[in-house]
Amino acid sequence: QVQLIESGGGSVQTGGSLRLSCRFYGYTFENDDCMGWFRQAPGKEREGVAARLSNRSTTYADSVKGRFTIARDMPKNTLYLLMNSLKPEDTAMYYCAADCRGPVQRGAYPASAYTYRGQGTQVTVSS
């Protein structure tokens, strides 16, 4: 059974940083994995944030480009989202996900493109 468990969320002030982690269980990392992060703010639709594609390249939504970095540690079976220069509009529940299908949309995969996803970790950015 595949499980994805996120951690690292919290409350920060504008301009702060956070590192989200996503530990995978029952899923073996491969070089051609496609995985990523999406988020959902209250009252808004889910939004793809960042993705690692099967060709090992990375892609980002315009709203986070230059501020967020997706990375992974294969020996630790862990996916990360490094978030810098956080803004209040980044406030959302963040989810990690894996096994993408279909095309990238607006710089990242939508939530519906993934087979597996975690339960989420909350990020709150105050002004």
Side-chain angles (χ1 to χ4, degrees), residues 4-9 19-24 34-40 46-52 59-61 64 68-72 78-83 93-98 100 107-111 114 118 120-121 123:
L4 282 60
I5 299 178
E6 301 96 337
S7 62
R19 186 183 76 165
L20 305 184
S21 299
C22 177
R23 180 73 164 85
F24 285 60
C34 179
M35 48 185 58
W37 294 85
F38 63 92
R39 66 187 180 185
Q40 187 166 25
R46 293 176 299 184
E47 174 192 21
V49 174
R52 178 199 184 274
T59 184
Y60 299 90
V64 306
F68 290 13
T69 302
I70 186 171
R72 70 176 196 169
T78 300
L79 181 71
Y80 300 100
L81 185 67
L82 313 177
M83 306 187 296
M93 185 73 79
Y94 283 73
Y95 301 85
C96 63
C100 324
Y109 282 101
Y114 296 101
T121 185
V123 172

Side-chain angles (χ1 to χ4, degrees), residues 28-79:
T28 301
F29 277 21
E30 302 288 348
N31 287 329
D32 61 351
D33 282 328
C34 179
M35 48 185 58
W37 294 85
F38 63 92
R39 66 187 180 185
Q40 187 166 25
K44 295 188 177 181
E45 293 186 354
R46 293 176 299 184
E47 174 192 21
V49 174
R52 178 199 184 274
L53 309 183
S54 58
N55 63 4
R56 309 186 194 183
S57 64
T58 56
T59 184
Y60 299 90
D62 286 343
S63 58
V64 306
K65 199 173 295 183
R67 300 188 298 120
F68 290 13
T69 302
I70 186 171
R72 70 176 196 169
D73 187 327
M74 286 186 73
K76 294 184 178 179
N77 245 33
T78 300
L79 181 71

